[in-house]
Amino acid sequence: MKLKLLLFLFLSVLAGQLAAQTNSINEEKFIPIGGIEQWVTISGADKTKPVILFLHGGPGSTMSQYDDAIYGTWKKEFVLVYWDQRGAGRTFGRNAPEPVTEEYWIEHPLTVERMVADGIELTEYLVKHLGKQKITLVGTSWGSVLGASMALKRPDLFSAYIGHSQVVNGEEGFLHAFNTVSKLAQAAKDEESLTKLASLGPPPYGDARKSGQLMRIIKKYERQNATPAPATWWKLASAYDNEKDAQHRYDGDDYSFLYFAGHKALGITSMEAAVNFMRDGLHYKIPVYFIQGEEDILTAKELTKAYFDKVKAPKKEFVLVPKAAHGHNQAVVEAQYKAVKKSLNLR
């Protein structure tokens, strides 16, 4: 009798394990999006769970290469989708020539409209492929430009939009950041930064190199008062830890930033300069959550809160995260998790 009971328990556990394996999903592949092949990963312990599409920042700062240290525990409750956007990571490597030339940059422009269309096309694929009615959208920094635009344009595809380090007005935000670090550098008697800021002058620049130099000063001052993310978060997964993928990420980051910041010498128009959600992004038809680092200088809390106050949505929430700057840390990820759960009415 005891032997039969043990056998029954063993078979029950085995059946449960096999069912879990059957329900799990782990796909990594190129998908035709917007006329080119783009790299997408889909993973989760149970493919019947809600789907989250992450939109990375940068614009070239892909997430697919990291070893699940940031959001890996979420796979028990959600299906996670990472997308190397047009011009970034493996998507860039799949479509760019070797070596990459200035002619390629100029002849293959990046625009907000094109990338928003890519994101919507990807979402339509995910809804059909995974058998969902809607998915949850999480955008960070540059990804918040795409995320807000996608949510505003096609609310029927999304259950909620969660914007982290939300970009509101590209040019105003960059000028605000310049003024902030100028005051901080003066207070700190930081002569090196003050000299560089004086040589740059206030934005906009029309020169991606100047934008990059200002970004470095902004990051320097953000780091002073913010809790960093654990270094283990940025460990590369073994499949991406190679020279070819590293080169594609590096080249894609350069290409994407040129179009983000603009570079008049090459006739490249800034994508950032066209962003103004205060003007054309105030009415959402889905719940909206903004996760805002209190020490964020690049997308400052004053500008994000002013935008949030004017936003009309079925439900909205503004979460100010202490000791967080523009990027991710543990507190930011926890705030994102809570927002996702709230948006889906999960406990």
Side-chain angles (χ1 to χ4, degrees):
M1 189 70 176
K2 184 181 287 187
L3 183 61
K4 288 183 178 180
L5 179 60
L6 289 173
L7 181 60
F8 173 77
L9 291 173
F10 171 76
L11 291 174
S12 297
V13 171
L14 181 61
Q17 291 176 339
L18 290 173
Q21 291 173 1
T22 302
N23 281 338
S24 66
I25 185 168
N26 186 18
E27 298 181 357
E28 299 181 343
K29 57 188 177 183
F30 288 101
I31 296 172
I33 301 171
I36 63 171
E37 290 192 312
Q38 302 198 32
W39 183 250
V40 177
T41 70
I42 307 171
S43 58
D46 184 346
K47 59 189 175 187
T48 69
K49 297 292 186 179
V51 178
I52 302 173
L53 171 58
F54 291 97
L55 303 175
H56 64 71
S61 301
T62 53
M63 297 174 63
S64 58
Q65 71 269 22
Y66 296 125
D67 198 19
D68 271 347
I70 304 176
Y71 296 107
T73 59
W74 292 28
K75 291 184 181 183
K76 297 176 183 177
E77 300 175 78
F78 309 105
V79 175
L80 310 184
V81 180
Y82 299 136
W83 165 40
D84 286 15
Q85 298 160 18
R86 181 181 295 262
R90 284 191 170 179
T91 298
F92 177 83
R94 186 74 159 189
N95 295 283
E98 292 184 11
V100 180
T101 63
E102 288 187 359
E103 287 75 17
Y104 177 81
W105 291 344
I106 295 166
E107 292 170 5
H108 295 81
L110 296 176
T111 66
V112 174
E113 294 76 17
R114 175 64 266 171
M115 296 177 75
V116 168
D118 286 350
I120 290 172
E121 187 175 339
L122 170 59
T123 305
E124 291 173 333
Y125 167 83
L126 294 171
V127 166
K128 183 177 180 180
H129 179 61
L130 299 174
K132 305 296 180 182
Q133 290 186 325
K134 297 185 178 186
I135 68 174
T136 302
L137 197 55
V138 178
T140 289
S141 187
W142 160 257
S144 76
V145 174
L146 300 186
S149 300
M150 289 162 63
L152 288 161
K153 190 168 185 178
R154 287 294 306 275
D156 58 300
L157 293 172
F158 307 106
S159 56
Y161 167 58
I162 298 163
H164 164 229
S165 297
Q166 179 67 47
V167 176
V168 176
N169 179 321
E171 288 195 341
E172 181 185 7
F174 214 39
L175 179 58
H176 186 279
F178 174 88
N179 291 333
T180 298
V181 292
S182 295
K183 291 175 184 176
L184 291 171
Q186 288 170 1
K189 296 182 180 179
D190 178 358
E191 295 300 329
E192 180 181 359
S193 294
L194 288 170
T195 299
K196 176 57 67 177
L197 290 166
S199 68
L200 291 174
Y205 299 125
D207 185 328
R209 291 167 298 189
K210 288 186 175 182
S211 296
Q213 289 167 358
L214 176 55
M215 292 277 278
R216 283 192 284 273
I217 297 174
I218 292 169
K219 289 179 181 179
K220 171 184 174 180
Y221 278 96
E222 284 188 337
R223 285 194 296 266
Q224 291 185 358
N225 298 307
T227 301
T232 54
W233 281 14
W234 315 121
K235 179 185 176 183
L236 295 176
S238 58
Y240 296 83
D241 192 7
N242 58 75
E243 186 176 341
K244 181 179 179 180
D245 273 313
Q247 190 65 50
H248 291 160
R249 290 193 298 272
Y250 180 85
D251 289 340
D253 191 52
D254 278 354
Y255 168 62
S256 299
F257 189 75
L258 275 172
Y259 276 96
F260 170 77
H263 200 72
K264 286 184 179 178
L266 295 176
I268 293 175
T269 302
S270 166
M271 292 192 290
E272 178 200 33
V275 177
N276 186 351
F277 290 116
M278 273 291 199
R279 179 188 62 214
D280 49 26
L282 294 173
H283 299 279
Y284 291 83
K285 294 182 180 179
I286 60 174
V288 174
Y289 299 79
F290 291 136
I291 311 299
Q292 173 66 44
E294 191 169 12
E295 305 301 331
D296 188 340
I297 295 173
L298 186 59
T299 51
K301 58 182 179 291
E302 295 86 359
L303 301 184
T304 307
K305 184 59 165 60
Y307 175 55
F308 171 82
D309 289 342
K310 289 193 174 186
V311 160
K312 304 296 182 185
K315 180 180 180 181
K316 65 177 185 176
E317 187 171 335
F318 182 86
V319 182
L320 188 63
V321 183
K323 305 297 288 182
H326 186 70
H328 291 78
N329 67 9
Q330 187 62 50
V332 165
V333 172
E334 289 172 2
Q336 290 176 319
Y337 177 76
K338 289 177 182 177
V340 170
K341 297 274 277 189
K342 280 186 181 180
S343 73
L344 296 169
N345 294 315
L346 300 174
R347 294 185 178 181

